[in-house]
């Protein structure tokens, strides 16, 4: 993303990401790191309107639905597998978000408004 680079990772099985920023010499230097402890599914927002989702092998979530001002997008995941996924919600100006998480059988696990 422009002069920034991101990498999702697991640290002792905890989801995280690291951000690098390009310096004046053209080299990338560490700028930010974040790890969520004791989570199997973590959503990070390193850029406005851009989600970085990192999962470990304990993740039960198979689908995430994000609703922004009535516009809905979905992202599927492979449960019980470590992964890194980028997700871009719709750009709608002032936003009201809601999130739904489903398991592999389509059962609602969690709803956040």
């Amino acid at each position: 993303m422009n002069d920034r680079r991101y990498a999702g990772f697991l640290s002792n099985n905890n989801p995280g990401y690291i951000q690098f920023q390009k310096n004046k010499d053209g080299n990338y230097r560490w700028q930010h790191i974040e790890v969520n402890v004791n989570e199997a599914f973590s959503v990070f927002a390193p850029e406005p309107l851009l989600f970085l989702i990192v999962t470990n092998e304990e993740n039960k979530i198979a689908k995430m639905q994000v609703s922004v001002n009535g516009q809905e997008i979905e992202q599927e995941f492979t449960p019980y597998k470590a992964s890194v996924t980028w997700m871009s919600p719709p750009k709608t100006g002032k936003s009201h978000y809601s999130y739904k998480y489903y398991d592999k059988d389509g059962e609602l696990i969690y709803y956040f408004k």
Side-chain angles (χ1 to χ4, degrees), residues 88-105:
S88 296
K91 296 174 179 140
T92 60
K94 265 190 152 180
S95 299
H96 178 272
Y97 289 81
S98 66
Y99 305 87
K100 293 179 183 176
Y101 300 93
Y102 298 88
D103 67 12
K104 64 181 175 64
D105 298 320

Side-chain angles (χ1 to χ4, degrees), residues 24-40:
K24 62 181 171 130
D25 298 324
N27 299 316
Y28 287 89
R29 298 184 50 102
W30 167 75
Q31 183 160 0
H32 179 80
I33 192 167
E34 193 171 333
V35 175
N36 289 342
V37 179
N38 297 321
E39 289 188 9

Side-chain angles (χ1 to χ4, degrees), residues 44-103:
F44 301 99
E47 295 278 333
L49 295 175
L50 190 61
F51 298 142
L52 175 63
I53 301 146
V54 182
T55 68
N56 67 20
E57 301 84 17
E58 297 169 13
N59 168 49
K60 298 175 185 175
I61 296 170
K63 182 170 66 174
M64 175 182 177
Q65 291 178 332
V66 179
S67 179
V68 183
N69 296 338
Q71 295 183 27
E72 192 169 271
I73 58 170
E74 277 186 7
Q75 179 67 51
E76 292 186 0
F77 304 92
T78 302
Y80 305 104
K81 182 177 180 189
S83 68
V84 175
T85 306
W86 286 99
M87 187 175 180
S88 296
K91 296 174 179 140
T92 60
K94 265 190 152 180
S95 299
H96 178 272
Y97 289 81
S98 66
Y99 305 87
K100 293 179 183 176
Y101 300 93
Y102 298 88
D103 67 12

